[in-house]
Amino acid sequence: AGGVLFKDVAPGVGTAVKAGDKLRMLLTMFLPDGTMVTRQEGIEVKAALGSTDLPAGLLDGLAGMKVGGQRIVKFPAEVGFTSEYRAAAVAVVKGCGNGVCKLDAEPVVAMVKLAGYEKKECQGSKDSISADASQFFTKGEVRVTIGNEACPEGNTEITEARIKMRSMVENLKASGKIDTSRQEGFAGVVPKMNKQ
């Protein structure tokens, strides 16, 4: 949408979001005079990138964000919270009553933190992150399964914690602490542990 400006405050981690991904963000919005127009600071909002769930100006300003990233997005009124969006987003915006609303004429500045997202191609997938410790006491093994090739984080929301866990598992594989010779799909076995 025209006239949308943004500036990254914190870059985030992992892969950038793309059209169709379902975003979960913490949002605080202001008018240029500093008046907060969200019902509270850091309100949680969910929307698919590229959808009509939220105004085009806001969603266009979120393209390319990464989990944990923080961004300031400024968007003009014509691609912002028009009356149609205000009716649908009563829980998000405030300050429009008696037929007068500054959101009809003034740009909005949004402070956004991307808390997590679900990849478009993984929505509805049956693959998740799991651990099977049933062989721990007999063989000393724990079987860990994480997603699949298309959805390496599984069918769950991608968050900073999940990205860190995935990195930890990859480091364990690289160091030989997970037996990848016994890998089935994206599963691995943590070999028997020695007693100290």
Side-chain angles (χ1 to χ4, degrees), residues 11 30 45 47 52 64 73 78 92 124 140 156 163 169 187-189 191-192:
F30 300 91
V45 178
T52 57
V73 181
E78 57 269 12
V92 177
T156 56
I163 290 171
V169 168
V189 176
K192 188 171 184 172

Side-chain angles (χ1 to χ4, degrees), residues 9-127:
V9 177
V13 295
T15 306
V17 296
K18 61 189 179 321
D21 291 344
K22 289 183 181 177
L23 313 183
R24 182 172 60 88
M25 63 200 100
L26 303 177
L27 178 67
T28 306
M29 297 185 301
F30 300 91
L31 292 173
D33 67 4
T35 303
M36 188 166 73
V37 293
T38 43
R39 295 217 174 265
Q40 65 187 39
E41 192 171 319
I43 193 165
E44 184 174 286
V45 178
K46 296 179 182 181
L49 193 62
S51 70
T52 57
D53 297 341
L54 287 172
L58 177 58
L59 289 176
D60 286 354
L62 303 179
M65 282 190 78
K66 295 179 180 182
V67 173
Q70 296 178 41
R71 185 175 279 181
I72 297 171
V73 181
K74 182 178 180 181
F75 51 96
E78 57 269 12
V79 291
F81 279 93
T82 60
S83 58
E84 117 186 39
Y85 282 107
R86 289 194 307 272
V90 174
V92 177
V93 296
K94 66 176 184 175
C96 297
N98 302 326
V100 177
C101 187
K102 289 183 176 182
L103 291 172
D104 288 329
E106 295 189 33
V108 171
V109 176
M111 296 182 355
V112 182
K113 178 176 182 179
L114 183 59
Y117 73 99
E118 292 177 41
K119 288 183 178 181
K120 177 183 178 181
E121 60 272 18
C122 300
Q123 296 165 21
S125 168
K126 302 291 183 216
D127 294 309

